[in-house]
Structures are given as C-alpha cells and as structure tokens.
Amino acid sequence: MPVIERAKRDEVFDTVLVANRGEIARRVIRTLRTLGIRSVAVYSDADAAAPHVREADVAVRIGPAAASRSYLDIDAIIAAARDTGAQAIHPGYGFLSENAAFGAACAAAGIVFIGPGPQALEVMADKIRARDHVSASGVPIVPGFSAAGMTDDQIATAAEQAGFPLLIKPSAGGGGKGMEEVHSAAQIPDAVATARRVAKAAFGDDTLLFERLILHPRHIEVQVLGDAHGRVIHLGERECTLQRRHQKVIEESPSPLIDATTRARLGEAACAAAASVDYTGAGTVEFIVSADRPDEFFFMEMNTRLQVEHPVTEAVTGIDLVEQELRIAAGLPLTLGEITPTGHAIEARVYAESPARGFLPATGDVLRWEPASGPSAGTVRTDAAVETGSTVGAEYDPMIAKVIAHAAGRADALAQAGRRAGRHGAVRGGIQHRLPPHADRRPGRAGRDHGHRTDRPDAALRRSRPDDRGAGSGRTGRSRRGHRIPGTAARLGAVAGPLGLADGCGCRGTHDPVPDGCG
C-alpha cells in the first residue's frame, strides 16, 4: 500500500454539506469526521430519522419526501449550505451529482462543488458528444454512428454500411432504457420507433446512437483522479459485468479478465479521456471489453462522480477516495506516488426487494441490523443506509447496503463475501429482501432472472474467466449498456429468504425511485 499523506482541516474546508442520503451520505460524513471537518446533512421528511441525519454535526430539512422537492431541489440545497456556512458541497452519487446546472449554482453562490468542472459535466452527459470527444484524443470507441438529424432511410443505409448486429441507444439515456438490438435491416423500422418513443418519454430527447453489438462483453471501468494542476492518474480497474436489469449487483477489483499489458492500456485510455475535459476530482471511465478478445476494449461513457462501487478500489489501494476528492476540490495537488493494488476485493449490494414479486421494492421497519463484526471484520466492510429501528420506505432507490470483502486472493474474497453477506451485512425480520448471490449457498436453491437459472451463482462468479462463454446455459443477459452478458455471468437472482423488514406494505411499483447511477 502507498504511504498516503492525510489532508489537514486547515488545508481543505471547515464545513462541507453532503447533498445526498443513505449509505453514501454516511460514507462521506465518515471521512469528514476523520479529517475534523464539520459535516452538514440534508434530509427530506421521509428521512427525518435516518442515520445520516443523526451522524452529521448539523442537519437541515430541505423538503417533503418527493425527491423532486428535496434532494433534487437545487435552491433548497444551496440555501442550506449558505445558512450553515458550508464552504463546499459533496453531491455523492445520483440525484444532482452529475448535474451541470447544480455545479453552476454552487459556483454562483461562491460554494465549491466537490466534483469536476462544467466542461466535464456537459461533455460527458451526452453519449454522442462524449464518444466523439474522447475519440479525438485517441480513446477507442465502439464502431457506430449517430442518427442525429437522419431520416429513416438514411438510418437504414448507415446501418447496412456499419454491419449487423447493432445496438440502438438513446443518446441522452442510461440504465438500459430505450435500448434495442437489430440483427437485420428488416428489424430497423420497429426498433427505431420503439427506441425513439422510450427515449422521448424517459429523457425528453429521442436522438439515437447506433453501435456494434458486442455479443460476449465484459463491463470494465477504470477509477481516475484528476487535480487542478493538470495531473490525471488511474487507480486500476473494476469489473462490473454481473448485473440485473442493467444495474450492477456485484463488482470486483482487479478484473480476472485483464492482464497487466491490457490493464496499462486501459489506464492510459482512461487518463486520456479524463484529461480531454480537464477533469478534476474522482471519476470513472467505463469500457466494454470483448471476452473473445480481452485485449480489445471500447469507451462507453464517463461517470463524473464517485461510483457506488468505489469501496473495492479503496480496499485494494488503501486510498480514501473521498479524502482525495476533498483535497482536489480545495486546490491541492495530487501527491500519490506509484499505486500498486494489493489483494482482491468484491462488493455485493443488498436491496430491499421481493424476489417472489418480480423484485419489486419492499418496505417496512428494520428489526435488527447486523453489520460485520468480530475478529474477521477487518477484511469485510459494510456501508449501509439503515440500522436497527430504521424504516425503509418506497420513496427512493431500494439499495440499502453494500458488503465489501477484501482478501489476498479472489477465491478468499469471494468466500468472505459469501459468508458475511448472509451473516453480517444483513437485516433480520419479516419482509422480503434480496441479498447478492453469494448469500445462499444451499444446493438446489434457485431463482429466476429474466429466464436465466440462478442456482449457485457463486459458482458463476468463480467461472467468470477470460474463457467464460456461458457454457452449460446457452442463455444470455444484457449489461446496463445493452451488450450481451454470458449466461453464467447473468445468474444474479438467488433468494436467501426473508430478511429484515417488518410490517411493510410492499411497493406495487408506484414509488418514484431515484436512480443511484448504478455505479
């Protein structure tokens, strides 16, 4: 592990407001407390008794439960920062974390936005613009074309020239919405009409992007840090191929697919993408990597914020990414030397969902919360939004915790995650939940996830090697960017039984979840 110089309070900020909720708010507050920085939490009426509210030095109500009137209310958050004397705002992930208007509002108020500048936020927010921009810096992109301004006939001609199969994606979209596969010219009219309709309804923009459909993809992302002095570095890669409904569920570092040569090339490409927008802060450059040709990778997008899965990078590098964000935002240069990851880390997300009801969000009271503890707790980290006595409502994203295991090797990390996800990083009680696949190791226990078998998904993780083609299943899932995932890597839905919440009504899909960016 590198020797890391810790930031001092008088070098960074006296007071920082955290414009988020749940586990990420608690995680940011933890670093602020370590550095002796006064923390300000914001909360909606639904979160008045939430742990992050109590753990902060100061807490400010910003509105009712609806995210649009609280966590997405720029004016309310800026007012809270002014009233509490906050010098900076950390946006966490999701909500306003990648909102250029929020960054501009912070600047106008004389408050530091702990994140990148306006160019990065604006360029990377649009897939087509981001793709073209990084390509000019030599970053490899998936072959394809933008359909902006094209007629249907022009799209058909361009698609024939590009070659099939193709993936249609909304330019302004994310989370897999509006994506359509086309394998022949005859499928284009219906697929384009569907993609445009969904894109317009979901994002207010029906501009489409066509890309080559990679049939055996792996989702690899690279963590980068950039400072205001022109230095950009990378901290290695994470693999996020294991997903459900285009949302990451299991993440690990390093990727078992990537060799040292490809890792260096990925890092160089990620740094080039970040440098092309004068990136400052922590960010993630996402690539699609062919399992058939692991040395071939293509830029997908850049997430201009801290990712949900950042703890696996922290585990293998020993670097507190939130602290680095604070240093960079305060204008300090990066002082990290050569970074050599140690061991292997795996993160498994815990959701308040009902597998028996199609993974709909579940609600209720947490009867008992048991985070990792005991002699081996040092190798397992639990970042949670809840504790004993918490109430899980239907207003926000159903992810309530993450269990991160770190060990010398991948097999040991997987075993730790499997044991602790079920025993420690869990709630005990009555309503349905969904633990990641490690949690149930009973033979024959299986669930269904888009028609894919989910018996022994822990074995699927063990089989996630460069030569993994989904043998034995013949079925494929899709990554959150729409590319096919081998069947063995799509087995995500194992049910560990009821856990955690009592007296919950169960959401019938009427809630208004705010995406966490899945990342």
Side-chain angles (χ1 to χ4, degrees), residues 190-421:
D190 287 345
V192 167
T194 299
R196 279 180 171 161
R197 183 177 65 252
V198 174
K200 186 69 174 178
F203 311 113
D205 182 352
D206 64 0
T207 304
L208 301 178
L209 173 66
F210 284 67
E211 291 182 343
R212 180 201 298 174
L213 178 64
I214 298 173
L215 296 178
H216 300 291
R218 300 284 279 269
H219 183 131
I220 308 295
E221 61 187 33
V222 178
Q223 177 70 59
V224 297
L225 290 172
D227 66 21
H229 304 273
R231 187 182 181 204
V232 178
I233 64 172
H234 75 88
L235 281 68
E237 85 285 354
R238 299 183 289 257
E239 174 148 3
C240 310
T241 302
L242 287 163
Q243 299 173 17
R244 182 182 65 84
R245 294 178 180 170
H246 313 301
Q247 300 296 315
K248 301 170 188 174
V249 178
I250 303 292
E251 303 99 346
E252 62 181 313
S253 182
S255 165
L257 178 72
I258 304 302
D259 61 23
T261 300
T262 304
R263 178 170 294 115
R265 290 174 54 229
L266 276 165
E268 290 174 3
C271 288
S276 74
V277 289
D278 297 325
Y279 198 83
T280 55
T284 299
V285 183
E286 299 192 349
F287 296 93
I288 201 81
V289 180
S290 171
D292 300 300
R293 296 186 58 185
D295 61 335
E296 182 179 67
F297 57 84
F298 304 105
F299 172 86
M300 287 196 296
E301 68 177 12
M302 183 174 189
N303 289 307
T304 53
R305 53 169 167 79
L306 200 64
Q307 294 277 87
V308 174
E309 59 272 18
H310 76 274
V312 295
T313 296
E314 293 185 322
V316 297
T317 63
I319 295 169
D320 184 328
L321 292 177
V322 173
E323 179 178 345
Q324 293 302 313
E325 288 185 298
L326 292 165
R327 291 176 57 93
I328 291 166
L332 297 176
L334 283 165
T335 58
L336 298 172
E338 182 177 353
I339 297 165
T340 303
T342 302
H344 200 97
I346 293 177
E347 174 180 286
R349 304 188 189 189
V350 181
Y351 289 82
E353 293 180 339
S354 172
R357 298 175 59 246
F359 296 96
L360 285 176
T363 62
D365 296 326
V366 178
L367 299 184
R368 188 166 79 247
W369 178 253
E370 299 177 359
S373 60
S376 63
T379 62
V380 178
R381 164 178 164 182
T382 302
D383 286 8
V386 299
E387 60 188 8
T388 299
S390 292
T391 296
V392 176
E395 295 85 7
Y396 310 112
D397 191 272
M399 189 185 79
I400 58 173
K402 306 177 304 194
V403 177
I404 306 98
H406 181 222
R410 188 169 188 257
D412 289 340
L414 178 59
Q416 283 277 20
R419 285 193 295 269
R420 294 296 179 179

Side-chain angles (χ1 to χ4, degrees), residues 14-16 38 80-88:
D14 293 322
T15 302
V16 172
R38 179 171 171 259
R82 282 175 166 161
D83 291 346
T84 57
Q87 300 157 301

Side-chain angles (χ1 to χ4, degrees), residues 410-411 414 441 456-465 468:
R410 188 169 188 257
L414 178 59
R441 296 179 176 255
R456 302 309 301 275
D458 52 318
L461 268 177
R462 289 196 297 272
R463 289 194 295 270
S464 183
R465 300 187 302 268
D468 182 352

Side-chain angles (χ1 to χ4, degrees), residues 150-215:
M150 285 187 173
T151 65
D152 289 351
D153 288 342
Q154 289 172 328
I155 288 175
T157 299
E160 289 277 11
Q161 293 172 346
F164 298 97
L166 291 169
L167 180 67
I168 305 174
K169 301 163 64 174
S171 175
K177 292 181 180 178
M179 295 194 298
E180 296 287 329
E181 293 181 20
V182 289
H183 295 264
S184 67
Q187 294 178 323
I188 290 178
D190 287 345
V192 167
T194 299
R196 279 180 171 161
R197 183 177 65 252
V198 174
K200 186 69 174 178
F203 311 113
D205 182 352
D206 64 0
T207 304
L208 301 178
L209 173 66
F210 284 67
E211 291 182 343
R212 180 201 298 174
L213 178 64
I214 298 173
L215 296 178

